[in-house]
Amino acid sequence: MKNITIIGTGYVGLVTGVGLSEFGNRVICVDIDNDKISKLNSGVIPIYEPGLEEILKRNVRCERLYFSSDISSSIKNSEVIIVAVGTPMTDKGNANMYYVDSVVKVIAENLNDYKIICTKSTVPIGTGKKIINTLISDFTEGVDFDYVSNPEFLREGSAVKDFLWPDRIVIGTASKKAYSIMCDIYRPLYINKNPIKHTNVESAEMIKYASNSFLALKISYINEIANLCEHVGADIHDVASAMGQDGRISDKFLHPGPGFGGSCFPKDLESLVAISKEKNINMETLKAAINANKSQKAKMGTKLENLIDGGIKNKHIALLGLSFKANTDDVRESSSIDIIEFIIKKGGIVRAYDPIANDSMSKLFNNISYYDDVYEAINESDCLVIMTEWNEFRALDLPRIKNIMNDRYILDTRNIINMSELSRLGFVYDNIGRIKI
Ligand code: NAD
């Protein structure tokens, strides 16, 4: 059992804190957002993540999990300090290191004893080395530390499961002592199998970027194949499922859609391109994946405009799904943002519904209507657009929808609605890469 402080209690920090306390460690999650910490201390979970609440409350009850705004004393009282603050994208496409840098400063001020400084945030390759140098230059004499890069691979929406049953844990460190302590904090995971990969710091940092970029690239690839399917009489579902049967390809991340979003893929791709530019290495595949994704997001607007007779102006459009994917309230870089902007620009009226993410999106758009019930959003609309693959949209009552809509247009950007029922009911519809029935 180790005493651990996690700095940054967002999607990654909170799930990591909950997971590591579940493994038997004593964890303090800290954040500069006092409101977030107060909420957590009064039992309110600030993010939506399936399964998180139950396990969080259990570990709080067992006195293994704490939330605090007192970052300095939490650092002083812990042996392992995990950095999980955001690394958003700057205007130039690099990772914004402001939050990580300020955390490193606070850590340096509170190094009172041997500690492991571990970065879980996704950071440019070479960051570990810089952090080590900063800490050494701010060194208090007689105090010792080791540095670890431990990138996180959880997915929002299944973060708890991903953390508790990971495919792999990457521990990048030059220190045998730190490696052994890190193995200890993940101990329950390698009783039956050993998912731990020990690398140097730079490889660990690179593994995270290379993995995310590859997945993003796969999505852009299948989206482009889907777009071509629409013009050559092929059906993307048949194509993707047969491709996925090839073990070399695998069936994961072969679902076409409105373009990837979220707080990771877009910024991580851009950041890796920026890193490669600094090293004078040309990474054409990454640039192509970024451009293909931008086009895919824009294409959803064009599809919508082409679908509705007479265009979008003054049309009521029910937009179902605001989060960048199902089972999360996160709307960062969501394709729904692009389509909302497009509809507004074209003079349409947005009637938005999301089971969880209405609040998050209302912080970005206060000029559209939000509904708490999916059928209220659809009521008297001219067109219905599905943007997120929430399960409840798979089971929409189409005959009821036909009765309550003003017109009969449906754009299904996730290919989740049964096309034969749409045709039978007389809807005019479009989707991504499918042969219409
Ligand atoms: P987030 O924005 O949800 O959370 C970051 C938290 O850090 C916020 O609560 C913020 O208040 C806090 N913070 C900022 N500065 C601080 C400081 N000086 N001291 C204490 N707290 C501070 O971010 P996230 O989505 O959890 O992502 C964190 C990192 O993990 C990023 O680098 C991201 O790329 C990476 N990552 C994210 C995911 C994901 O699915 N969200 C998955 C893997 C890796």
Side-chain angles (χ1 to χ4, degrees), residues 227-416:
N227 296 343
L228 185 56
C229 280
E230 290 178 6
H231 296 274
V232 296
D235 188 292
I236 191 62
H237 281 207
D238 292 337
V239 173
S241 72
M243 281 172 69
Q245 284 172 310
D246 185 330
R248 295 169 302 176
I249 296 172
S250 115
D251 58 359
K252 304 280 185 334
F253 283 74
L254 283 185
H255 307 285
F260 57 78
S263 68
C264 293
F265 286 180
K267 82 166 170 64
D268 291 350
L269 269 178
E270 295 277 4
S271 177
L272 195 50
V273 169
I275 296 163
S276 68
K277 259 191 206 151
E278 275 169 29
K279 304 289 173 197
N280 281 325
I281 300 292
N282 195 14
M283 299 198 75
E284 292 296 343
T285 51
L286 300 189
K287 289 187 229 163
I290 292 169
N291 290 334
N293 197 51
K294 286 181 182 154
S295 307
Q296 191 70 7
K297 287 183 169 186
K299 193 178 167 66
M300 298 306 107
T302 314
K303 268 182 174 286
L304 182 61
E305 200 164 32
N306 292 341
L307 180 68
I308 305 178
D309 261 349
I312 292 171
K313 195 169 171 58
N314 295 329
K315 298 286 166 45
H316 289 253
I317 309 212
L319 202 74
L320 308 194
L322 303 173
S323 54
F324 80 93
K325 65 171 181 174
N327 295 320
T328 180
D329 58 350
D330 198 344
V331 300
R332 288 179 282 187
E333 302 285 330
S334 169
S335 301
S336 300
I337 295 173
D338 299 73
I339 198 125
I340 291 172
E341 280 170 351
F342 183 81
I343 295 169
I344 293 173
K345 195 173 102 197
K346 293 284 173 177
I349 299 127
V350 178
R351 304 169 61 90
Y353 168 79
D354 189 285
I356 298 291
N358 280 358
D359 278 356
S360 314
M361 194 58 99
S362 67
K363 288 175 191 135
L364 301 181
F365 294 97
N366 58 11
N367 52 346
I368 61 172
S369 308
Y370 296 90
Y371 295 85
D372 292 331
D373 178 88
V374 66
Y375 295 101
E376 270 177 37
I378 297 169
N379 196 32
E380 299 196 347
S381 62
D382 300 293
C383 179
L384 185 164
V385 181
I386 296 194
M387 291 302 293
T388 314
E389 72 284 24
W390 284 99
N391 267 342
E392 73 171 87
F393 303 153
R394 294 175 199 272
L396 286 174
D397 182 345
L398 292 176
R400 179 176 170 192
I401 287 174
K402 175 133 197 258
N403 281 335
I404 62 174
M405 277 179 78
N406 266 350
D407 219 326
R408 57 208 169 116
Y409 299 106
I410 295 193
L411 173 59
D412 176 9
T413 72
R414 298 287 181 168
N415 294 354
I416 57 177

Side-chain angles (χ1 to χ4, degrees), residues 32-50:
I32 40 165
D33 184 341
N34 292 335
D35 186 44
K36 202 176 254 188
I37 296 298
S38 312
K39 276 189 180 148
L40 284 160
N41 276 324
S42 47
V44 178
I45 319 293
I47 57 168
Y48 176 79
E49 194 55 58

